[in-house]
């Protein structure tokens, strides 16, 4: 019998002490239901996901694309990807969803709401993987979304909003499916080669899409009430700090520069050290300067020189030319630019002292930072807190489909720990309890969004 029913009975003969106990208990429950930010949360709410079912489905999905040696290769547009998608569509149908494949190859499982005029709440992720990747990056968010639907079905709950479980195509190859949905997939992009060989257009056809009608997959701002993505945290921060849930404040922007350092190639045995124009020596000083600049200011920004090509690359020739790749990531675009200007200033000084020339060529593949919705951050926080889970507000240093979706809908991301911070690897692992924690936060977040008024 609930507390509300108890209060409907006469209290005249009850002792004041007993009455006070009930009043206190009711107050605690009420605070729990509202959560830390006034959102409807989960104390007293019996809805919980089925941990064993999530683990079983992750194991089943992992079989698709696996070779005889146990290595995973469910790369977009391969047979493993196609077979895995067919399996997922079958799971959607069993859960009562009405799945369709849009022109970009995205799988969209639809569930009706009480009010069909309301925009759908969408959640999900992707199931394609990098070559020899792990079983959790993408599949957790996808199967966590399916688990939410199963729980709602089991408890016969019909939400006010329609719901959509979206499994984006080719996330690992450049967020192709979500890029198309956001209206950013260009004709040139469709002709680019995919990781598995075919062009993006050919791959989209292979998985049931229609690249000739790619515009039909585009959603406008307002078409979705929200997009929520559950994902493993790929940097190991949660695991190191023993935090259960990451509340993502945004996805970093990424800018690349190809840097050319030109000196003069000359005989390594006969050219004195004090007259050399050693391009590699100058490049080495620049690499150190990048690290010094990036670490000289507070924040979570990162800078990397991850590519280096030396010409002529011989034991007995002083390097005359070096091409290196510079990448800077941060949640603020202006901070990226400030850091780059300081690196450029340091490069000018290095070039002067080494008698070399250093040029920076900004690449066209830059991605802008994408902030998650503040109100949805609070909703995720409230859900996690009410479940008794520890949280950390954090940025995502990796790209996700949510980065594209932020252009057309309010976005939230939920992170759970990955053991050792390992990702894109067969050793990728998230513990069953953490899988369930994330899915429970996703479930309660979706329910809270459904009850809350649109911002």
């Amino acid at each position: 019998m609930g507390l509300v029913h108890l209060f409907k009975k006469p209290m005249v003969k009850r002792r004041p002490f007993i009455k006070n106990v009930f009043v206190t208990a009711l107050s605690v429950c009420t605070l729990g239901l509202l959560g830390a930010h006034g959102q409807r949360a989960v104390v007293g709410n019996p809805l919980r996901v089925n941990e064993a079912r999530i683990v079983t489905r992750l194991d089943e999905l992992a079989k698709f694309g696996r070779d005889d040696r146990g290595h995973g290769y469910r790369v977009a547009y391969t047979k493993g990807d196609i077979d895995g998608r067919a399996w997922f569509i079958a799971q959607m149908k069993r859960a009562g969803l009405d799945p369709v494949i849009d022109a970009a190859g995205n799988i969209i499982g639809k569930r009706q709401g009480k009010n069909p005029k309301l925009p759908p709440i969408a959640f999900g992720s992707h199931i394609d993987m990098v070559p020899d990747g792990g079983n959790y990056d993408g599949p957790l968010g996808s199967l966590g979304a399916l688990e939410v639907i199963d729980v709602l079905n089991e408890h016969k709950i019909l939400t006010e909003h329609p719901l959509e479980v979206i499994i984006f195509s080719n996330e690992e190859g450049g967020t192709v499916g979500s890029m198309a949905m956001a209206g950013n997939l260009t004709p040139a992009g469709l002709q680019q080669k995919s990781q598995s060989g075919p062009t993006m257009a050919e791959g989209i056809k292979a998985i049931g899409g229609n690249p000739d009608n790619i515009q039909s997959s585009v959603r406008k701002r307002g078409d979705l009430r929200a997009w929520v993505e559950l994902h493993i945290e790929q940097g190991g921060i949660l695991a190191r700090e023993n935090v259960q849930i990451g509340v993502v404040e945004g996805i970093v922007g990424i800018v690349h520069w190809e840097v050319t350092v030109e000196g003069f190639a000359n005989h390594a045995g006969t050219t004195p050290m004090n007259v050399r124009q050693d391009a590699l020596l100058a490049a080495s000083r620049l690499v150190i300067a990048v690290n010094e600049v990036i670490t000289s200011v507070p924040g979570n920004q990162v800078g990397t020189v991850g590519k280096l090509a030396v010409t002529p690359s011989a034991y007995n020739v002083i390097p005359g030319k070096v091409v290196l790749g510079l990448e800077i990531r941060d949640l603020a675009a202006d901070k990226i630019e400030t850091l780059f200007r300081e690196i450029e200033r340091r490069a000018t000084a290095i070039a002067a002292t080494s008698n070399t020339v250093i040029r920076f060529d900004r690449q066209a593949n830059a991605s802008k930072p994408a902030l998650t919705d503040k109100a949805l951050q609070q909703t995720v926080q409230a859900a996690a807190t009410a479940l008794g889970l520890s949280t950390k507000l954090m940025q995502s240093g990796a790209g996700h489909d949510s980065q594209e979706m932020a252009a057309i809908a309010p976005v939230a991301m939920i992170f759970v720990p990955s053991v050792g911070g390992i990702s894109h690897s067969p050793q990728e692992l998230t513990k069953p309890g953490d899988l369930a924690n994330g899915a429970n936060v996703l479930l309660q977040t979706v329910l809270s969004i459904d009850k809350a008024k649109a911002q």
Side-chain angles (χ1 to χ4, degrees), residues 98-114:
D98 181 19
V100 298
I101 300 174
D102 73 5
N106 301 315
I107 304 170
I108 304 173
K110 300 181 179 182
R111 187 179 194 260
Q112 292 183 348
K114 292 179 185 177

Side-chain angles (χ1 to χ4, degrees), residues 32 44 46 101 143 155 185 204 268 270 296 304 396 402:
I101 300 174
L143 291 169
H155 290 266
L185 184 56
I204 288 171
T270 61
S296 67
T304 308
S396 172
S402 294

